[in-house]
Amino acid sequence: MASTSDGIMVAWIKVLPAVISHGVGGAFGELPPYYLANQIISRTTENNYIQQSHTFMVNSLKKYGSIIIFLFAIWPNAFFDMCGLAAGVSDIPVTTFLCATIAGKALVKSPLIALTVISATQGAILPDFLQNYVEAT
């Protein structure tokens, strides 16, 4: 008889293609704010409110580039929209933005979420913080 962990891994491997596809789709869904900000900033010559409102994110992106995009893509948060806007304002190449976003969403965040859900539904022992979260929802 297979152990619970074997069943979890088999289930996770079966859903992995769909999970990665979901993450890639989510990454492409982040392109509209990027393009919007890129077009707005390319047509703006003054240091206006749009530019000032993204100072922190723009400076972070200029300093850390794709690492910031990757980290914001991993954790589901509202700051990622600001990250996409700031990447457009910073004129980060779309390929850099998209690759870092795909890596964060499709290769890290979505597979980890799937593994957590599968583990929780298969009766696996989860770390305390995840177990508390699963029990609370």
Side-chain angles (χ1 to χ4, degrees):
M1 181 154 96
S3 70
T4 302
S5 62
D6 290 341
I8 290 170
M9 290 309 295
V10 168
W12 185 69
I13 289 169
K14 286 182 179 180
V15 300
L16 200 55
V19 166
I20 290 174
S21 296
H22 172 265
V24 170
F28 277 97
E30 301 296 346
L31 286 176
Y34 169 90
Y35 280 124
L36 176 68
N38 190 260
Q39 290 302 306
I40 290 171
I41 207 66
S42 69
R43 296 178 180 158
T44 305
T45 56
E46 301 173 15
N47 189 9
N48 64 17
Y49 175 75
I50 293 170
Q51 292 168 324
Q52 293 172 4
S53 67
H54 296 290
T55 300
F56 167 74
M57 189 61 71
V58 168
N59 290 338
S60 296
L61 283 169
K62 286 181 179 178
K63 186 172 183 179
Y64 301 109
S66 60
I67 296 297
I68 290 291
I69 298 167
F70 173 77
L71 292 174
F72 273 112
I74 290 173
W75 191 259
N77 62 72
F79 285 109
F80 197 76
D81 289 332
M82 188 172 62
C83 183
L85 291 168
V89 168
S90 301
D91 208 22
I92 300 257
V94 69
T95 53
T96 300
F97 176 74
L98 194 56
C99 287
T101 304
I102 288 172
K105 286 182 176 277
L107 303 179
V108 177
K109 183 183 88 173
S110 292
L112 286 176
I113 290 171
L115 184 59
T116 302
V117 169
I118 291 168
S119 296
T121 59
Q122 297 294 319
I125 298 171
L126 300 172
D128 287 341
F129 74 96
L130 282 177
Q131 188 65 40
N132 292 338
Y133 178 76
V134 168
E135 289 173 0
T137 56

